Amino acid sequence: MNLLFANIGTSDLAIRFYQPQGPDYYLPIDFLSEPNLPQQVNTLSPEFQKIWKEQKAAIDNFFYTELGFPQSVKRNSRCLTAKLLECYRMAPSNWHDRLAFVRILGVLQKAATTQPPVSKAYIFITNQKTRLNRNGHDKDTIYLVRLLQNWLRYDSRQPQPKFANFPKLVPVRIPPTENPSDLEVMLRVYEQAIATIIKAEQPNPSSDIVLVSIKGGTPQMGTALQLQSIDSGFPNIIFVDPQLSINSVLQGQPSQCKLTLYWRHLKSQKYRTIRQLLERWDFDGAISILQDWQNNLKLLPAEVRTLVDLSEVETSSNLAITALKLGLCLFNFDRQGAETILKNASPELASLSHLTQNYHSWLNLYAHCQIYWQLNQVANFLWCLSSFWEDVVNYLVMALGGRRYFLPENTTGMLERWNLVDPSNIEPDIWKILIEHDDKLKKHDFSQGKKFSLNMRRFTKRYLAEAIVRHNQGNIQEWEKIEQGLKQLNYWVEKRNDLIHRIKGASQETMHEMLAADRKLKIKEAQKASEVDLILETMQTLCLSVFRLLNQPPSPGVDPNSDGVYYIYSDIVDWVNQQLDE
């Protein structure tokens, strides 16, 4: 259901005057105020320049002579429109052709031609009649809108109506106690009114548009309608801009209107929201906003679509959505899905191909820990910390050549169970360390060819990694740093479930409380544990030692010289922001 929000002003109404010699003409009952008015007056013929400049005298004469007001009454639009409404109701055929609703009729005409046509036009009006001001305000529009309703109703009953299929007019009255010239007041009034209308009508953001015409009323009313329409949260707002033409006014013709999209504002508003979501690493939310934005653009009337280069916007937003889907896959540890996206993506995304080529799940888990800590999502942080602990050791075993000890049924990248048939394949010093930590392995009888299924628990992997390092005479100093980091983090891995299931839940505060309580009880693991505020620093130190142990350069997400970089995700966010800036 398409809607129209519109102000109305007393200068919207023009009265027809007859000349004994020469063409008839219309004059607005109130002075128009437009920036280019003097220039347009200068383009009129001398005769019509004279008529225009004598507008006040003509309307005064109409007010006192034709409408019969006594000279003691100061002419004002409220009284004039009230009297016209009375006269029109009594004899509509006498008055119909004498009235022309030049500006507002043009707005309604534009609304009627929108596809699908606007069904309801909410017209904001004033009636400032109170106990202290029983006469209301000179420019009140309460009678003007009623006059317009009667005029349109009469037209619709004619054999050949000129203005058929117009939307239903629904007056929205500004409360009489609220000052239409106070911007703060009007912002509040329009905010409440628009929210009420949208709640009642429930326009569909996926298929409906709202037209807005701010001309008419006080300048404060126009500003309030403009700002509150944009801030209403409804995505498909298009402004109807009546174009002033004095020639059209003099002929009593409806104003020509053009549709205006506050393109730069709407675009920056959408993109600002996307950037805020990306600051919180919410790829899914950013995708949703961009897809909704694309759908909204498809609803724009052809007249509006020609005002902006939508093809360029569509291209950049499609690229951004693809990059965000890539980020979402990686955030869900779906490397295969990410590779598929890059394989089928446009060449512009080739600069992101390194994200899957150099991908490591343990670094992804470290980035998750950084992100969840930043977002204060402690339960997710603890889950990722536990997975990181095991995955970094898993990575070390494989990077140090430990895969040769495992049978092929192990899933690529994962060391879960070790099916061992012949221990003679294992170096003695490595075997010695393993049996020191597994009594069942030490006692197992291999003489009958019976294989031993070793459950590769995280500590078993750690012992194996240490054994390989010592056997290869690797960098023991860096290994000891890794081992120290693992011990400092192990307390939090063990305490994860306890924290999550506490009545107070998992939070940085409860982490501090639990560590302090366990240290008070002299619990051994708590004495070794990393301080709560230093956990990420401990993880970073551990990661750096892994790279040094393997003689590899640190990734940007770990390198101390690349502060604020979150592994693969910073590259994606930067790339998307660049697309939105273009």
Side-chain angles (χ1 to χ4, degrees), residues 25 27 41 44-58:
Y25 57 89
L27 289 174
V41 172
L44 298 174
S45 67
E47 178 187 5
F48 277 107
Q49 285 192 37
K50 184 174 183 295
I51 289 172
W52 189 263
K53 291 174 182 178
E54 293 175 353
Q55 174 188 0
K56 181 180 182 303

Side-chain angles (χ1 to χ4, degrees), residues 139-257:
K139 292 185 180 292
D140 278 341
T141 50
I142 176 69
Y143 299 112
L144 176 61
V145 77
R146 292 176 183 173
L147 184 60
L148 175 59
Q149 287 175 311
N150 279 267
W151 192 89
L152 289 172
R153 192 179 302 119
Y154 181 82
D155 177 79
S156 67
R157 293 171 181 167
Q158 302 309 302
Q160 292 182 326
K162 296 180 180 179
F163 305 102
N165 301 320
F166 267 33
K168 176 185 177 182
L169 301 191
V170 182
V172 181
R173 188 178 302 185
I174 304 294
T177 55
E178 306 289 14
N179 182 3
S181 296
D182 188 321
L183 180 57
E184 286 296 329
V185 170
M186 288 299 98
L187 286 170
R188 171 172 49 80
V189 168
Y190 276 85
E191 178 185 24
Q192 294 171 350
I194 291 171
T196 300
I197 295 168
I198 289 181
K199 182 178 180 180
E201 298 293 351
Q202 296 187 342
N204 187 345
S206 301
S207 58
D208 298 332
I209 62 175
V210 173
L211 300 181
V212 179
S213 174
I214 65 173
K215 292 291 181 70
T218 65
Q220 292 80 5
M221 290 170 65
T223 300
L225 178 55
Q226 180 186 53
L227 295 179
Q228 298 300 7
S229 296
I230 293 173
D231 291 343
S232 66
F234 192 76
N236 312 319
I237 299 288
I238 300 174
F239 288 86
V240 184
D241 188 10
Q243 304 296 294
L244 174 65
S245 168
I246 291 182
N247 273 315
S248 295
V249 173
L250 288 168
Q251 295 172 37
Q253 297 297 316
S255 297
Q256 293 295 311
C257 297

Side-chain angles (χ1 to χ4, degrees), residues 31 41 58 69 93 122 126 131 134 165 218 230 242 296 344 349 476 480 508 559-560:
F31 289 107
V41 172
F69 282 93
S93 59
Y122 286 88
T126 58
R131 290 182 180 179
R134 296 186 179 277
N165 301 320
T218 65
I230 293 173
N296 295 339
N344 299 322
L349 272 85
I476 302 300
E480 288 175 348
Q508 294 182 25
D559 192 338

Side-chain angles (χ1 to χ4, degrees), residues 423-434:
S424 63
N425 292 331
I426 303 176
E427 292 82 351
D429 52 336
I430 295 177
W431 175 254
K432 180 181 179 181
I433 291 176
L434 287 174

Side-chain angles (χ1 to χ4, degrees), residues 115-126:
Q115 293 301 321
V118 167
S119 57
K120 287 185 182 178
Y122 286 88
I123 312 295
F124 290 87
I125 61 171
T126 58

Side-chain angles (χ1 to χ4, degrees), residues 21-51:
Q21 296 179 346
D24 301 337
Y25 57 89
Y26 290 81
L27 289 174
I29 64 171
D30 255 332
F31 289 107
L32 289 167
S33 177
E34 295 284 347
N36 63 340
L37 184 61
Q39 290 89 335
Q40 288 210 33
V41 172
N42 291 335
T43 64
L44 298 174
S45 67
E47 178 187 5
F48 277 107
Q49 285 192 37
K50 184 174 183 295
I51 289 172

